Amino acid sequence: MTRSAKTPFHSPRSFQLWHYGIGHKELVLRSQAGGQEPETLDIVFETVRAMKLHTHYPTLTIRSATPEERKSIREFSDGGPGELSGAGHYYLVLESERDPAFVVCRRVEAYARPGAEADYRITASTGRLVWAGSRA
């Protein structure tokens, strides 16, 4: 069952910053397969407008930012008035055992697939969608 961004994502698995491409503004956090975990899990954030991240997350929860957090994110990011405003942006808080981090993006999806050698460019045809942002 696919959960939406309105439903917080939580995983006890360890994630690390895997890729950021400035051209497509794409960010990937990865939890590698291995040990008790037969699947690699990638969280793909698309059209990233702002972020404050850690390089490693021992556990990970992703949830929507509160109105107060959204205001704080806009102030921290110091984007122009139009850069982070308007409908269509996800303001997501990444919680772990460390200080909260955030990502502001247009789309977010989590994909799983067997093995540790998975390319970060995962699509519905190559991976199993396990969580996605939805504006429905």
Side-chain angles (χ1 to χ4, degrees), residues 7-119:
T7 304
F9 172 88
H10 176 74
S11 177
R13 293 176 61 162
S14 174
F15 284 82
Q16 68 185 50
L17 177 59
W18 194 258
H19 169 81
Y20 178 69
I22 195 164
H24 293 287
K25 298 179 182 176
E26 181 180 72
L27 167 69
V28 178
L29 299 179
R30 172 170 285 182
S31 179
Q32 288 277 48
Q36 300 291 332
E37 301 296 343
E39 294 182 310
T40 292
L41 184 59
D42 284 346
I43 302 172
V44 182
F45 302 86
E46 297 178 358
T47 316
V48 173
R49 297 289 187 203
M51 62 184 156
K52 176 184 172 189
L53 299 171
H54 300 287
T55 57
H56 180 258
Y57 296 86
T59 62
L60 182 62
T61 297
I62 302 173
R63 63 171 176 80
S64 295
T66 65
E68 295 81 21
E69 289 169 327
R70 289 172 65 105
K71 181 181 178 198
S72 177
I73 289 168
R74 283 192 298 271
E75 289 170 359
F76 175 87
S77 300
D78 196 30
E83 182 68 14
L84 299 179
S85 64
H89 286 98
Y90 288 114
Y91 281 71
L92 301 169
V93 175
L94 286 64
E95 296 178 331
S96 190
E97 298 169 1
R98 307 164 101 177
D99 293 333
F102 68 81
V103 175
V104 179
C105 62
R106 290 269 185 181
R107 183 175 175 168
V108 59
E109 297 176 328
Y111 289 95
R113 72 174 168 191
E117 297 303 319
D119 185 7

Side-chain angles (χ1 to χ4, degrees), residues 119-135:
D119 185 7
Y120 71 87
R121 294 173 190 91
I122 294 177
T123 66
S125 63
T126 60
R128 178 173 51 86
L129 182 67
V130 295
W131 182 74
S134 172
R135 293 187 175 78

